[in-house]
Amino acid sequence: MECKFQDEVIMVVDRELEPILKEQKEKITINGKVIDNDGLALPGVTVIVKGSFLGTTTDVNGNYKIVVPAKAEVLVYSFVGMINQEIILGDKTEINVTLQSAAEKLKEIVVTGYQKIEKRKLSSSVITVNAEQIKEGGALSVDNMLQGKIAGLSVVNNTSTPGVAPKIRIRGASSISGNREPVWVVDGVILEDPRIDVLKDASATAIYGVKAANGVIVITTKKGKIGPAKVQYSTNFTFNERPSYKNLNRMNSKERIDVSKEAVERGLLYNQPPAHVSYEGALYDFYAKKISYTEFLEKVKFFEEQNTDWLDILFRNSVSQKHNLSIS
């Protein structure tokens, strides 16, 4: 009787421990160490099971230990200033992790000349253009590249002569007789006559002086990096066609003489003496008996056959070329 009672007690205990033992079998223990790019231990790194609130943190030596459900698939490692990393568990029981720095992705910095400040904290009017935004095959200079890329910046070409710099205005016509050109700053050096920052408000005068009231164009060039030397070559050809009469419906020389003959027949007179080299000038010379009638007719015939293309005489088609060779 007593033996039977003991068997029943053991069976009851087994049934109570069964869920606990089953739960322990469904969990696994994972440990490891977390370090940074330089191999230094990272204390305080958060390690959690993805999609749950189950987690832990690393100790002062970067070590951690976590008990996770057997069905857990991914561990997430996170730390301030580091890129989060996800590790698939599989059948691993020891996982060592190296976290990469994310410092360069934390904020966008604007260089104003007198300070470096986060763009979200900047109260001045600044527009930043990177190199990818200004790459154009037909642009021969930086000022041409900026044209149409920045609100409020005006690039005006007053001449078609190759190589002549256009006029640039950032803050409008700020002076009647003074210089209205913006200040160009390349890698901190002011030039008298690429990420690009355009400082548009008057606060730029705090570092660049009164000239900066017209605006400042700050150019930051690319920096050198470790690697083999690179040789780059680029060329640009530009063809400008001279102006011509081909799209204009104009009179030829004979038609122009006919108009003069009709004006004389109608008695239409000039308020002042006409040009000597003209039908009217030859007619005045004939009336003044400076030439004979035969000489007058010869002059009229000469004028009718000229058809001078003055645009062809004064202008010509222009071809310009630019070659760039750089070694970096």
Side-chain angles (χ1 to χ4, degrees):
M1 186 70 177
E2 181 179 354
C3 182
K4 182 178 181 182
F5 175 75
Q6 290 178 349
D7 291 341
E8 290 178 354
V9 172
I10 293 173
M11 292 177 63
V12 171
V13 173
D14 288 343
R15 284 196 299 269
E16 291 178 353
L17 291 176
E18 185 176 356
I20 300 175
L21 295 174
K22 184 178 181 181
E23 184 179 356
Q24 290 179 344
K25 291 180 180 179
E26 292 178 351
K27 291 186 177 181
I28 57 176
T29 300
I30 298 175
N31 57 66
K33 186 174 184 178
V34 182
I35 59 175
D36 62 10
N37 296 338
D38 300 322
L40 300 177
L42 287 176
V45 176
T46 302
V47 183
I48 65 172
V49 178
K50 187 175 183 179
S52 74
F53 296 101
L54 180 61
T56 186
T57 58
T58 57
D59 59 19
V60 293
N61 297 316
N63 297 315
Y64 72 94
K65 182 178 181 180
I66 184 173
V67 179
V68 301
K71 61 181 180 181
E73 297 178 353
V74 178
L75 283 183
V76 180
Y77 299 78
S78 60
F79 190 69
V80 176
M82 298 290 181
I83 301 175
N84 292 355
Q85 192 169 155
E86 297 184 0
I87 303 295
I88 299 176
L89 294 176
D91 56 356
K92 303 172 185 174
T93 58
E94 182 177 351
I95 302 177
N96 296 319
V97 177
T98 301
L99 293 182
Q100 304 295 324
S101 174
E104 68 279 2
K105 298 183 179 180
L106 291 180
K107 60 191 73 174
E108 182 177 0
I109 301 296
V110 174
V111 181
T112 64
Y114 45 87
Q115 61 181 333
K116 293 184 179 180
I117 188 172
E118 294 180 38
K119 194 167 186 179
R120 62 187 179 86
K121 296 180 181 179
L122 184 67
S123 60
S124 301
S125 177
V126 178
I127 297 178
T128 299
V129 184
N130 59 41
E132 294 299 324
Q133 293 173 293
I134 62 175
K135 282 184 178 178
E136 290 186 359
L140 299 178
S141 60
V142 175
D143 39 32
N144 294 136
M145 294 176 182
L146 292 178
Q147 190 169 11
K149 301 294 189 303
I150 300 174
L153 184 143
S154 173
V155 180
V156 181
N157 292 288
N158 293 329
T159 176
S160 60
T161 304
V164 176
K167 290 184 177 180
I168 295 181
R169 298 292 180 267
I170 296 176
R171 306 190 68 217
S174 57
S175 174
I176 297 176
S177 59
N179 182 19
R180 290 170 289 175
E181 295 293 331
V183 175
W184 290 79
V185 181
V186 179
D187 290 338
V189 180
I190 298 178
L191 300 182
E192 292 298 329
D193 254 12
R195 190 180 78 178
I196 300 175
D197 291 337
V198 179
L199 312 183
K200 298 173 67 177
D201 67 8
S203 65
T205 59
I207 184 67
Y208 297 120
V210 68
K211 294 186 298 182
N214 297 319
V216 180
I217 299 177
V218 181
I219 301 179
T220 304
T221 60
K222 293 182 178 179
K223 306 301 180 185
K225 59 183 179 180
I226 299 175
K230 293 183 179 180
V231 179
Q232 292 182 322
Y233 170 77
S234 63
T235 183
N236 184 284
F237 292 90
T238 304
F239 174 79
N240 293 317
E241 186 179 6
R242 69 168 179 83
S244 68
Y245 296 122
K246 64 182 181 181
N247 295 324
L248 301 175
N249 185 19
R250 298 172 60 89
M251 294 184 294
N252 57 30
S253 295
K254 187 177 185 310
E255 291 171 337
R256 175 64 181 86
I257 297 300
D258 290 341
V259 171
S260 296
K261 289 179 179 179
E262 184 178 348
V264 171
E265 291 174 358
R266 292 187 178 187
L268 302 176
L269 302 177
Y270 289 92
N271 293 328
Q272 54 186 352
H276 179 70
V277 184
S278 66
Y279 174 83
E280 292 84 353
L283 186 61
Y284 269 63
D285 288 344
F286 172 67
Y287 287 160
K289 296 183 179 180
K290 294 181 180 180
I291 59 175
S292 65
Y293 183 67
T294 302
E295 292 174 323
F296 167 70
L297 293 179
E298 289 178 352
K299 280 194 172 185
V300 171
K301 184 175 184 298
F302 172 78
F303 293 150
E304 289 178 336
E305 296 175 349
Q306 288 307 296
N307 293 316
T308 303
D309 187 346
W310 292 107
L311 294 180
D312 181 45
I313 294 174
L314 298 174
F315 300 95
R316 63 184 176 85
N317 296 332
S318 66
V319 178
S320 63
Q321 51 184 305
K322 184 176 181 180
H323 303 271
N324 293 306
L325 177 64
S326 65
I327 300 177
S328 60

